[in-house]
Amino acid sequence: MSESISGLMELKELYQEIILDHGKNPRNKGKCEGFTNDAKAHNTLCGDKVHIYLKLNKDKKIEDLSFEGEGCAISLASASILTETVKGKDLSFITRVSDDFINMIKNKKKITINSLTPDQMTTITSLSGVQEFPMRVKCATMAWHTLMSAIEKK
Ligand code: ZN
């Protein structure tokens, strides 16, 4: 096996570990206190459900957010990774990172936002393998679309 291929295998394994970890131990699960916005969605293809709660402050920052959900490991991991990535961030960051994430999954684009830490970058890129499975695209993107509808709600 050439070095580059074994490096790729290691990366795949790392990505898989991240997804399994978030799927089994989702971060920010439940209903956060004093939420100002929320939205929910249901993926009928797979049976996944997600409900996002967030607390926007007057500086348009997400002070707190959480989710309730059930479904496949991809959908739970994606929602968990989402909450970890956008908590404490402002809306311009959130819009950019969501666009990047959805573009990565749907259009196989690279993440372009440059304000992520290397760890955050690895974590959100861990879901990039879903590109190869059109049936699972919705599992991975649902929470991110739901976050944007929650933000847009008055
Ligand atoms: Zn699913």
Side-chain angles (χ1 to χ4, degrees), residues 28-37 53-55 64-67 87:
N28 305 302
K29 198 132 189 249
K31 204 184 277 186
C32 65
E33 226 168 276
F35 66 90
T36 55
N37 300 48
Y53 303 90
L54 61 97
K55 190 176 177 186
D64 201 4
L65 88 160
S66 64
F67 79 101
K87 199 167 181 171

Side-chain angles (χ1 to χ4, degrees), residues 37-43 48-53 68 142-143 145-147 149-150 153:
N37 300 48
D38 74 305
K40 55 184 170 179
H42 181 199
N43 172 11
D48 309 320
K49 284 180 185 167
V50 71
H51 194 156
I52 305 259
Y53 303 90
E68 284 176 336
M142 182 171 67
H145 286 302
T146 310
L147 170 71
S149 359
K153 250 185 211 172

